[in-house]
Amino acid sequence: MTTAKLNIVPFVSVDRMMKLVNVIGVERFLTELAGYIEEDFRRWDLFDKTPRIASHSHDGVIELMPTSDGRLYGFKYVNGHPKNMRQGLQTVTAFGVLADVGSGYPMLLTEMTILTALRTAATSAVAAKYLAPRGARTMAIIGNGAQSEFQAIAFKALTGVDRLRLYDIDRSASRKCAKNLAGMGFDITICETGQEAVEGAGIITTVTADKQCATILTDNMVGSGVHINAVGGDCPGKTELHRDILLRSDIFVEFPPQTRIEGEIQQLDPDHPVTELWQVIAAKAQGRRDAKQITLFDSVGFAIEDFSALRYVRDQLQATGLYEELDLLADPDEPRDLFGMLLRAAVQPAA
Amino acid sequence: MTTAKLNIVPFVSVDRMMKLVNVIGVERFLTELAGYIEEDFRRWDLFDKTPRIASHSHDGVIELMPTSDGRLYGFKYVNGHPKNMRQGLQTVTAFGVLADVGSGYPMLLTEMTILTALRTAATSAVAAKYLAPRGARTMAIIGNGAQSEFQAIAFKALTGVDRLRLYDIDRSASRKCAKNLAGMGFDITICETGQEAVEGAGIITTVTADKQCATILTDNMVGSGVHINAVGGDCPGKTELHRDILLRSDIFVEFPPQTRIEGEIQQLDPDHPVTELWQVIAAKAQGRRDAKQITLFDSVGFAIEDFSALRYVRDQLQATGLYEELDLLADPDEPRDLFGMLLRAAVQPAA
């Protein structure tokens, strides 16, 4: 390790993240990121796994999501405050850090609001690669908020979805989604109801934002053979699907101890059988078994996906130069002389 | 809330932190910070308390230390890697975040390597205010590394210590410490042994760095009536005091569930009686009882102290202007239009 710039941590701001996604291209970014996620899911056993550490309050939650593969350590700070939208704030904002386990020094600080939407979409599309009915090209998206376009593009890139049926209780959200996706190769229909949206869809994505037990999908809306990508239900008391759908589905999850608290399956008995997605990806468990089966990916978002995203972003820094240098770490000339560094700073000319 | 600059989080770099300490003055900074710590310890019951979340590896540990008082949320990232020093790196580096519980939005990102040394020293001095023998002006400091000067100055500012007896297995560390403290009103003696250092000292501070069970103080070195400020033993397998000293002392701790794992008292039975420091500060428990009693503050560092430090730094930002503006939070014009923001960034001229 060189002794130069030990104080510096590369920082990817929101502006740089947008440039990074645009320089790489959002489809390629999602495809490559999905590759990192699959790679990390295949070596699942290596990771330190703890459920996220949540601090709940009346209006929302602030969470820390750490994990490590023994060489790298990553964590994400993320909040979830549904009321924020009414005040012109994001429901979810996030940032994260990747660090070197050997020295404990941070190697990357990055915005993760955009990156979380990307990794969530990439993970959903990875799950669908293994679970969705073969050749499904039509996807219903119920909930057309901040994550909807990312989901659509990830499914296009990874599974070949090119027909979208959009529904949102606020029609302007659907119009926003359709407008943003214009010219990207989708055939898009804006629907009047959730029921209309799911007609003919082989994949149903639910990605609504309300913090409550809602019933975005009722039992009669879900026919045999579909794949449900349930993204919006991701904390205690927030679900989107009617319990009866869950009972008819084969359920795939990221990390059962977390999903049983936060996911759709919080509605089920604590020992209801589920399959871990990583086992499907690692060929240790079966994904879709037949054409009539309803598969359900009960997505809540797990720390390993953020870890993959942090790794991916870190690997793009050198080639793109899209980062700033943050003076985050005290680096005295002599490690034991932290106070001396402070003293010497006092006599330096002001910067 | 104004809609301007929602993307911005104030950032205090290492450079700005040093300027902040120097502009305020290190003694005043420590005194005011101690006031924030006492204030937060008095309202201890309000806080969310969890032991730190540690990721241990062969060479060290990376920890996240979150807490909240219901209005503000704070966490610190901190590593501890004793081998780092041999590679010219800091044993401990840290940064932290203060956030608004109501919105989940971060309000401050700051370096905390320097700030941790300051808050550790301020907490030790607060404990000594309540526990040290009345009128104790002489302090032995065993271990003269990065934290030693901060401890000395905090004790001077809060308890009136003005005579220091320094000992370190590496004499150059003692010389460094003495040189840094020159002209600050201390009478300083560099000692040949730990035994010599504790002679005549009413307060004994141990603040060594080795990650092992060491015996910095043996039983015969500790006479009646002293206050021991045990700072260096702060993780499983890392202690500084002989067990017999603990058995002769009245022990005061920050948060028992954490200290029993990380502190000197890991050497004792899990039900060995200890007093929580906050109860002494809040006048719910007695501090020093008599002149013969050995009091021991088994410091490991708790999240609430970091929270106090984050609050204090946040309160200095406006008056000093010593921060940068970090573009950390995605802030689309329309909260649901994260993807649209990304699209629009692609057609902007490069910055």
Side-chain angles (χ1 to χ4, degrees), chain B residues 48-344:
Chain B
D48 223 10
K49 284 169 287 285
T50 52
R52 58 183 92 187
I53 303 110
S55 178
H56 291 278
S57 60
H58 177 263
D59 290 322
V61 62
I62 296 175
E63 299 173 329
L64 298 174
M65 301 168 69
T67 193
S68 170
D69 67 358
R71 289 192 317 111
L72 296 171
Y73 170 94
F75 82 89
K76 179 168 81 169
Y77 169 107
V78 58
N79 76 296
H81 285 69
K83 73 155 186 59
N84 275 4
M85 212 180 67
R86 293 191 294 276
Q87 299 168 297
L89 301 173
Q90 286 286 295
T91 302
V92 172
T93 66
F95 65 90
V97 168
L98 192 70
D100 173 36
V101 167
S103 69
Y105 270 47
M107 306 159 68
L108 169 67
L109 171 70
T110 178
E111 89 81 34
M112 287 190 82
T113 309
I114 297 166
L115 192 58
T116 294
L118 288 158
R119 74 85 160 125
T120 303
T123 305
S124 281
V126 166
K129 258 179 59 178
Y130 294 89
L131 301 177
R134 197 171 294 273
R137 292 175 58 185
T138 303
M139 176 158 81
I141 305 182
I142 300 179
N144 303 150
Q147 294 195 53
S148 56
E149 298 93 340
F150 297 97
Q151 290 280 338
I153 297 170
F155 275 74
K156 178 164 187 289
L158 272 87
T159 76
V161 161
D162 59 1
R163 294 175 205 144
L164 300 177
R165 300 181 66 77
L166 307 181
Y167 172 68
D168 196 291
I169 48 169
D170 178 355
R171 195 175 170 87
S172 71
S174 304
R175 281 195 300 263
K176 177 266 318 176
C177 178
K179 178 163 167 267
N180 281 336
L181 294 174
M184 294 191 185
F186 290 105
D187 174 353
I188 301 176
T189 307
I190 296 180
C191 302
E192 299 293 329
T193 63
Q195 176 69 59
E196 185 192 335
V198 303
E199 277 167 23
I203 301 171
I204 303 171
T205 288
T206 57
V207 57
T208 62
D210 263 350
K211 188 179 179 175
Q212 59 186 346
C213 291
T215 306
I216 307 302
L217 286 185
T218 55
D219 193 34
N220 66 313
M221 288 165 71
V222 177
S224 72
V226 304
H227 173 63
I228 303 171
N229 172 42
V231 177
D234 64 355
C235 66
K238 182 168 183 288
T239 59
E240 294 181 315
L241 309 187
H242 193 284
R243 185 169 180 276
D244 289 347
I245 299 173
L246 308 183
L247 297 175
R248 289 163 59 211
S249 304
D250 288 305
I251 301 171
F252 298 82
V253 305
E254 290 141 315
F255 183 55
Q258 183 178 316
T259 312
R260 291 196 191 276
I261 296 167
E262 300 173 358
E264 294 299 327
I265 59 171
Q266 66 187 271
Q267 303 180 66
L268 301 181
D269 292 337
D271 58 353
H272 188 92
V274 298
T275 305
E276 295 184 54
L277 179 60
W278 76 268
Q279 294 198 307
V280 177
I281 294 171
K284 290 173 190 289
Q286 197 172 5
R288 174 164 287 269
R289 203 175 52 237
D290 63 55
K292 295 207 166 162
Q293 180 190 19
I294 300 173
T295 51
L296 167 63
F297 175 48
D298 189 0
S299 159
V300 296
F302 188 55
I304 293 177
E305 296 147 31
D306 299 310
F307 181 91
S308 308
L310 289 165
R311 281 207 303 124
Y312 177 68
V313 169
R314 195 262 322 248
D315 288 352
Q316 312 313 312
L317 296 186
Q318 281 316 106
T320 63
L322 286 170
Y323 63 96
E324 295 159 53
E325 299 195 332
L326 215 60
D327 168 33
L328 186 62
L329 306 176
D331 175 38
D333 299 333
E334 212 278 277
R336 290 176 303 185
D337 201 13
L338 194 62
F339 188 79
M341 182 175 74
L342 188 62
L343 280 185
R344 288 186 289 278

Side-chain angles (χ1 to χ4, degrees), chain A residues 205-327:
Chain A
T205 288
T206 58
V207 58
T208 62
D210 262 350
K211 187 179 179 174
Q212 59 186 350
C213 291
T215 307
I216 307 302
L217 286 184
T218 56
D219 193 35
N220 66 315
M221 289 165 70
V222 178
S224 72
V226 303
H227 173 63
I228 303 173
N229 172 41
V231 178
D234 63 356
C235 66
K238 181 167 185 290
T239 59
E240 294 181 315
L241 308 187
H242 192 282
R243 185 169 180 278
D244 288 348
I245 299 172
L246 308 183
L247 297 175
R248 288 164 57 212
S249 303
D250 289 304
I251 302 172
F252 298 82
V253 304
E254 290 142 311
F255 182 56
Q258 183 178 316
T259 312
R260 291 197 191 275
I261 295 169
E262 300 172 359
E264 295 298 328
I265 59 171
Q266 66 187 270
Q267 304 179 66
L268 301 182
D269 292 336
D271 59 352
H272 188 92
V274 298
T275 304
E276 296 183 56
L277 179 61
W278 76 269
Q279 294 199 309
V280 177
I281 293 171
K284 291 174 190 288
Q286 197 172 5
R288 174 164 288 269
R289 203 176 51 236
D290 63 55
K292 295 209 165 161
Q293 181 189 18
I294 300 173
T295 50
L296 167 62
F297 175 48
D298 188 0
S299 158
V300 296
F302 188 55
I304 293 176
E305 296 147 30
D306 298 309
F307 181 91
S308 309
L310 288 165
R311 280 207 304 124
Y312 177 69
V313 169
R314 195 263 322 247
D315 287 352
Q316 313 312 312
L317 295 186
Q318 281 315 105
T320 63
L322 286 169
Y323 63 96
E324 296 159 52
E325 299 195 330
L326 214 60
D327 168 32

Side-chain angles (χ1 to χ4, degrees), chain A residues 5-232:
Chain A
K5 291 191 170 181
L6 284 177
N7 62 315
I8 293 299
V9 175
F11 168 57
V12 179
S13 66
V14 175
D15 180 65
R16 301 287 160 106
M17 181 61 75
M18 294 195 294
K19 287 189 169 66
L20 190 65
V21 177
N22 285 320
V23 161
I24 293 172
V26 61
E27 273 203 49
R28 188 178 134 211
F29 191 110
L30 283 162
T31 305
E32 291 177 353
L33 173 54
Y36 276 62
I37 292 169
E38 282 201 62
E39 187 178 309
D40 286 337
F41 271 51
R42 279 202 192 93
R43 57 197 191 104
W44 190 264
D45 281 336
L46 270 181
F47 284 88
D48 221 10
K49 285 169 286 285
T50 52
R52 58 183 92 188
I53 302 111
S55 178
H56 291 278
S57 60
H58 177 263
D59 291 322
V61 64
I62 297 176
E63 298 172 331
L64 298 174
M65 302 168 68
T67 193
S68 170
D69 68 356
R71 287 193 317 110
L72 296 171
Y73 169 94
F75 82 90
K76 180 167 79 168
Y77 169 106
V78 58
N79 76 296
H81 285 70
K83 73 155 185 60
N84 275 5
M85 214 180 65
R86 293 191 294 277
Q87 299 168 294
L89 300 174
Q90 286 286 294
T91 302
V92 172
T93 66
F95 65 90
V97 167
L98 192 69
D100 172 36
V101 167
S103 69
Y105 271 47
M107 305 160 70
L108 168 68
L109 170 71
T110 178
E111 90 79 36
M112 288 190 80
T113 310
I114 297 166
L115 193 57
T116 295
L118 289 158
R119 75 87 160 124
T120 303
T123 305
S124 281
V126 166
K129 258 179 60 177
Y130 295 89
L131 302 176
R134 198 172 294 272
R137 292 176 57 187
T138 303
M139 176 158 82
I141 305 182
I142 301 181
N144 303 149
Q147 293 195 54
S148 56
E149 298 94 339
F150 297 97
Q151 290 280 338
I153 296 169
F155 275 75
K156 179 163 186 289
L158 272 87
T159 76
V161 161
D162 60 1
R163 295 175 204 144
L164 300 177
R165 301 181 65 79
L166 306 182
Y167 172 68
D168 195 292
I169 48 171
D170 177 356
R171 196 176 170 88
S172 71
S174 304
R175 282 195 300 264
K176 177 265 321 177
C177 179
K179 179 162 166 268
N180 281 337
L181 294 173
M184 294 191 185
F186 290 106
D187 174 353
I188 300 177
T189 307
I190 295 179
C191 301
E192 299 292 330
T193 63
Q195 176 69 59
E196 184 191 335
V198 304
E199 277 166 24
I203 300 171
I204 303 172
T205 288
T206 58
V207 58
T208 62
D210 262 350
K211 187 179 179 174
Q212 59 186 350
C213 291
T215 307
I216 307 302
L217 286 184
T218 56
D219 193 35
N220 66 315
M221 289 165 70
V222 178
S224 72
V226 303
H227 173 63
I228 303 173
N229 172 41
V231 178

